Amino acid sequence: MTEWLTAAGAGLLAGGALFVGALIAWFFNVPPKLVAGVMAFGAGVLISALAFDLVGESLHEAGVWPTLSGFAVGAIIYVFANIWLDKRDARNRRGSGEHPGSGVGIAVGALLDGIPESMVLGLSMLGGQGVSIPILVAVVISNLPEGLSSTAELKQAGMRPRFIFGLWGGIALAAALASLLGFTVLAEAPVEVTGFITALAAGAMLAMIADTMIPDAFSKAHNYTGLLATSGFLLSLMVHELG
């Protein structure tokens, strides 16, 4: 029972970073360059975590083909889901400064980002290893600026606080459920299945980083984007090595 709560709590903490970002953006005017800087740093953290923890773990446990196929499928699903949302003019590109799109589009986009990440948190607990700290840190750091930037744009668009905080609160609960499902439903799955899902999450995350985080960070903090992303990568690598 304690492990179940730990898995759900890890997902809630990761998704809750969106809610915390929303609170900060609602009560304070955060400079866009600061949000962009955190986003660039978070991109580097995520790249390191998916390379050394997700893909590395999948290769070690499941082998080459489940890893390659899962990674490719994750990227394809993410990209084409976003293409569909873009055609409907519904997606909020985090921090883009464009109109915030529809509430449904924002929710779907955040779920596309968050559900694979949270499920991997639950998967990382299989075998009694505990939650992967590098992945948890990476997801929290990347989610915070998403909540900041998206909420700032929703606020400018005149959305009510009940809608905004209900949106992020619901996504945080969905992240907790995804982490719990990763730990429970997949506990007895073959290593090829868990490796495929882990790699799928990694592919979706890398597509998200390339599609939204780095371009949007560069648009506002372009002079320092590379340095900040590199710093995030090195921090995550240190956490990985010390973990």
Side-chain angles (χ1 to χ4, degrees), residues 71-91 93 105 108-109 112-113 200 203-208 211-212:
F71 197 89
V73 169
I76 290 169
I77 290 174
Y78 183 88
V79 169
F80 280 95
N82 274 332
I83 289 173
W84 180 78
L85 286 173
D86 282 340
K87 287 183 177 180
R88 294 176 60 88
D89 199 28
R91 182 166 64 118
R93 297 183 62 84
V108 172
L112 282 172
D113 295 351
L200 184 148
M205 288 164 64
L206 184 57
M208 178 270 293
D211 184 56
T212 61

Side-chain angles (χ1 to χ4, degrees), residues 62-74:
V64 173
W65 290 112
T67 302
L68 291 178
S69 56
F71 197 89
V73 169

Side-chain angles (χ1 to χ4, degrees), residues 1 11 35 47 54 74 90-91 111 117 136 139 150 155 165 173-174 181 184 195 211-212 220-221 234 238 241 243:
M1 184 65 178
V35 177
I47 291 171
L54 300 186
R91 182 166 64 118
L111 287 172
E117 299 167 346
L136 180 59
V139 174
S150 296
K155 184 179 177 181
F165 295 118
L173 292 176
L181 288 175
T184 55
D211 184 56
T212 61
K220 294 184 176 64
L234 291 175
M238 289 175 58
E241 290 299 317

Side-chain angles (χ1 to χ4, degrees), residues 199-231:
L200 184 148
M205 288 164 64
L206 184 57
M208 178 270 293
I209 292 166
D211 184 56
T212 61
M213 291 187 75
I214 291 178
D216 292 338
F218 185 80
S219 69
K220 294 184 176 64
H222 60 275
N223 288 335
Y224 302 102
T225 301
L227 183 59
L228 289 167
T230 302
S231 300

Side-chain angles (χ1 to χ4, degrees), residues 76-170:
I76 290 169
I77 290 174
Y78 183 88
V79 169
F80 280 95
N82 274 332
I83 289 173
W84 180 78
L85 286 173
D86 282 340
K87 287 183 177 180
R88 294 176 60 88
D89 199 28
R91 182 166 64 118
N92 175 49
R93 297 183 62 84
R94 72 178 86 189
S96 63
E98 301 171 2
H99 69 84
S102 70
V104 174
I106 293 172
V108 172
L111 287 172
L112 282 172
D113 295 351
I115 295 303
E117 299 167 346
S118 299
M119 187 169 288
V120 166
L121 286 172
L123 284 171
S124 72
M125 294 182 59
L126 298 181
Q129 300 175 0
V131 176
S132 172
I133 299 302
I135 298 173
L136 180 59
V137 170
V139 174
V140 168
I141 292 176
S142 68
N143 279 348
L144 185 64
E146 179 173 8
L148 277 166
S149 60
S150 296
T151 300
E153 292 166 14
L154 287 169
K155 184 179 177 181
Q156 290 176 0
M159 296 292 185
R160 295 182 178 276
R162 180 179 298 179
F163 169 82
I164 294 173
F165 295 118
L167 174 68
W168 297 122

